[in-house]
Amino acid sequence: EPEVTQTPSHQVTQMGQEVILRCVPISNHLYFYWYRQILGQKVEFLVSFYNNEISEKSEIFDDQFSVERPDGSNFTLKIRSTKLEDSAMYFCASPGEGDNYGYTFGSGTRLTVV
Amino acid sequence: LAKTTQPISMDSYEGQEVNITCSHNNIATNDYITWYQQFPSQGPRFIIQGYKTKVTNEVASLFIPADRKSSTLSLPRVSLSDTAVYYCLVGDSSGYSTLTFGKGTMLLVSP
């Protein structure tokens, strides 16, 4: 089954620092997505990225967030100046393949801002 | 987007069949129903998707009545490893649209 790979699995950072979360989505897909889940809360949409451009973003995705495709297969989510409330699991996802008509999510990065 | 309503939690025992029902009264004509499973500290995992009647795969069955205002995810003979949160989502089937997750149903399977 195709996988979406995320690194690091855990990241601890001090408030105000910049963090970069990385994702390798399913190959050959032009779409990918970032979601986050604060502990005990719902999975929330952050941003969708298509063909090197943001196609949709939520209210959460403010100016401190950015997404990039630094090379052909890697995508990043950057948080410029982290706040305590940015502590969450961050998931990237690709459209599914085969019998998966939904998304394939990565295993996530747990970000802890202290 | 059609709103979905699921039970907050369910309990079961190993070997039993579990049925989780989701209400989606405002489902649109073009909407599909998709279920995901999420284990703690992991990303949601696609389980099954359907439009009407019944869909079955190696993991679960999905029952959708004619009016499509509800759906039931059926897990046959659950095991401890099926303990997870199950989400019912309604929307575009393509996998290219934004997903809106609710709080899901926390299924606890006991020995």
Side-chain angles (χ1 to χ4, degrees):
Chain A
E1 184 178 324
E3 285 190 354
V4 175
T5 306
Q6 291 187 244
T7 55
S9 56
H10 294 87
Q11 174 94 43
V12 180
T13 189
Q14 289 195 325
M15 192 168 52
Q17 295 296 304
E18 175 183 283
V19 295
I20 297 176
L21 311 182
R22 293 181 167 79
C23 172
V24 179
I26 294 175
S27 60
N28 302 321
H29 269 301
L30 297 178
Y31 268 102
F32 86 102
Y33 309 83
W34 284 99
Y35 285 76
R36 81 169 185 191
Q37 186 174 32
I38 295 171
L39 184 65
Q41 297 189 25
K42 300 184 222 180
V43 178
E44 300 173 293
F45 168 72
L46 288 177
V47 65
S48 59
F49 196 80
Y50 173 70
N51 202 24
N52 296 325
E53 290 186 358
I54 290 175
S55 61
E56 188 179 353
K57 60 183 181 179
S58 72
E59 292 178 351
I60 303 169
F61 194 87
D62 60 22
D63 291 343
Q64 69 165 335
F65 290 93
S66 62
V67 288
E68 291 181 2
R69 189 177 183 178
D71 60 50
S73 59
N74 291 287
F75 293 85
T76 61
L77 175 69
K78 183 189 294 186
I79 309 175
R80 263 180 278 280
S81 178
T82 50
K83 303 190 284 279
L84 294 177
E85 54 264 38
D86 293 326
S87 296
M89 287 289 291
Y90 289 81
F91 301 107
C92 68
S94 289
E97 296 199 329
D99 292 337
N100 176 359
Y101 300 103
Y103 288 15
T104 297
F105 282 82
S107 55
T109 293
R110 178 177 297 283
L111 176 66
T112 302
V113 182
V114 297
Chain B
L1 290 172
K3 181 176 162 49
T4 60
T5 304
Q6 307 174 230
I8 294 173
S9 63
M10 293 183 70
D11 295 322
S12 184
Y13 293 97
E14 283 189 292
Q16 290 191 333
E17 178 184 81
V18 171
N19 296 309
I20 306 174
T21 298
C22 177
S23 297
H24 27 80
N25 290 318
N26 297 322
I27 189 169
T29 304
N30 296 331
D31 286 341
Y32 279 68
I33 300 144
T34 309
W35 286 79
Y36 285 82
Q37 174 192 57
Q38 186 181 27
F39 298 113
S41 298
Q42 294 188 29
R45 184 175 77 100
F46 171 86
I47 301 175
I48 198 166
Q49 184 183 81
Y51 183 80
K52 62 180 179 181
T53 63
K54 177 184 173 183
V55 180
T56 297
N57 61 22
E58 64 277 6
V59 175
S61 294
L62 178 59
F63 298 91
I64 306 168
D67 66 7
R68 303 199 330 120
K69 293 183 183 297
S70 66
S71 59
T72 299
L73 175 73
S74 181
L75 305 172
R77 295 180 300 282
V78 294
S79 63
L80 297 177
S81 63
D82 292 317
T83 293
V85 179
Y86 292 83
Y87 300 97
C88 163
L89 284 78
V90 171
D92 185 283
S93 69
S94 68
Y96 294 96
S97 59
T98 302
L99 297 180
T100 300
F101 286 84
K103 295 184 178 179
T105 297
M106 174 66 219
L107 172 66
L108 176 62
V109 181
S110 300

